[in-house]
Amino acid sequence: MTGELPLDPGQFLGIPIALVGALFLSAGAQLQHRGVNRVDGASSASGGLGLGQLRMLVSRPSWVVGTLMLGLAIVFQLAALVPSTLAMVQPLGALSLVVTAIVNSRVSGVALNRLSIVAICLCIGGIGLFVSVTAVTTRNTNVSDRALDGILLILAVVVALAAALFVTLRHRFTAIYYVVGAGLLYGFVATLAKVVIARTVQHNPSWLLVLCVVGILVAVTAGAYFVQNAYASGPPDLVIAGLTVIDPIVAVTIGLVILREAAESPLWAVALYVLSGLIAICGVFLLARHHPQIHEPATPRRDP
């Protein structure tokens, strides 16, 4: 029947896996932020963290544990992409912002205000609606070489632009610039990882997969450096808020437009994609703007 989509119940398996990954992302981000801010001169670093400061991070227990947790978050995210589409599981990472806000409130002793609670409800409602719609209207597709060429070309442009801006304007960079850069790069990491997984499952190897792996390594390295600088110049709430908005927007847009995961979606589903996405994005930005920990000094526990 025209307009009817084949529904694979196995696609739902990625949702709980992605939720576990979001929890590790939240915990890892908080610990990494604490470790970065224990490094001498990190908070006042102009033009980015130096090699000496990056080496000092390895000696911070909180940063090391946080890095391990972020590694686990990546593992769970990649595992979620095996049965599910990008559009279904990638937005679930925004739940890490909700967890971060609640945990930070407990640790700092600063209670969530009314606007923060409203923002959390918008995040949960928007994400819940988005995932519900994508779960029944998107499906995994075969990735063509042409589509893969397009993704790699766009990534090359993004990396070149990010490098040029960093070299020329890094002394003017604030946390939001680093967050935007990291979010763009991590969105491509998720997309390329999905392509590698799909090609492997389909037993369709090619030399383009080598370029995908190289692209993933470059994007992860540059994105991780941007994130550490964002931690050094801004609160963890801002970092998580930016990443959980920009990363999914980039990955889901590529998944829907280039990988055509929603090629057979009806018009009403497309409208709900936009509406639910806007609701979640509004909630994220509202929480990032009005979370009380951003305006009141926190008293985090000392890192050993």
Side-chain angles (χ1 to χ4, degrees):
M1 185 181 298
T2 303
E4 184 175 350
L5 294 175
L7 179 61
D8 179 11
Q11 288 191 149
F12 293 95
L13 293 176
I15 294 178
I17 298 174
L19 291 176
V20 175
L23 294 178
F24 279 116
L25 174 62
S26 176
Q30 293 181 74
L31 290 172
Q32 274 205 334
H33 178 268
R34 180 181 299 181
V36 169
N37 281 275
R38 292 294 185 266
V39 172
D40 293 337
S43 60
S44 60
S46 176
L49 296 174
L51 291 177
Q53 292 166 326
L54 292 175
R55 285 195 295 266
M56 291 174 62
L57 287 176
V58 182
S59 66
R60 307 308 308 177
S62 59
W63 187 87
V64 173
V65 174
T67 300
L68 292 175
M69 288 190 172
L70 288 179
L72 287 174
I74 293 174
V75 170
F76 276 91
Q77 183 186 49
L78 295 180
L81 289 175
V82 174
S84 304
T85 62
L86 273 170
M88 185 186 301
V89 300
Q90 192 67 11
L92 293 174
L95 290 179
S96 61
L97 174 60
V98 178
V99 176
T100 300
I102 295 175
V103 172
N104 279 347
S105 176
R106 296 289 185 180
V107 172
S108 65
V110 179
L112 291 172
N113 53 32
R114 182 176 62 84
L115 286 176
S116 295
I117 295 174
V118 171
I120 290 175
C121 292
L122 288 175
C123 289
I124 295 175
I127 292 171
L129 177 60
F130 190 94
V131 173
S132 298
V133 176
T134 56
V136 297
T137 59
T138 61
R139 61 189 178 91
N140 287 311
T141 59
N142 294 326
V143 182
S144 67
D145 288 346
R146 182 176 180 180
L148 192 50
D149 287 338
I151 296 173
L152 290 171
L153 178 60
I154 297 172
L155 174 60
V157 172
V158 170
V159 171
L161 181 60
L165 290 175
F166 179 75
V167 170
T168 58
L169 300 174
R170 65 183 182 276
H171 294 289
R172 299 182 183 180
F173 274 16
T174 59
I176 190 63
Y177 292 100
Y178 288 116
V179 167
V180 170
L184 287 171
L185 292 168
Y186 283 158
F188 279 93
V189 169
T191 304
L192 290 176
K194 175 64 176 177
V195 171
V196 172
I197 291 172
R199 285 290 185 95
T200 302
V201 171
Q202 297 163 7
H203 302 289
N204 185 21
S206 72
W207 65 271
L208 284 175
L209 289 188
V210 177
L211 292 181
C212 284
V213 173
V214 173
I216 289 173
L217 293 177
V218 171
V220 166
T221 301
Y225 179 70
F226 277 19
V227 165
Q228 303 313 311
N229 280 284
Y231 286 146
S233 53
D237 301 75
L238 174 62
V239 178
I240 293 296
L243 291 179
T244 53
V245 170
I246 300 168
D247 179 343
I249 286 177
V250 173
V252 170
T253 299
I254 294 175
L256 295 180
V257 177
I258 299 181
L259 301 185
R260 299 184 61 80
E261 292 182 342
E264 300 180 43
S265 297
L267 186 59
W268 62 264
V270 176
L272 285 179
Y273 295 157
V274 177
L275 176 61
S276 58
L278 289 176
I279 292 174
I281 289 171
C282 288
V284 168
F285 278 111
L286 185 65
L287 185 59
R289 181 179 179 83
H290 294 286
H291 190 285
Q293 191 172 342
I294 296 177
H295 305 289
E296 297 183 26
T299 56
R301 299 172 185 172
R302 291 293 299 177
D303 186 41

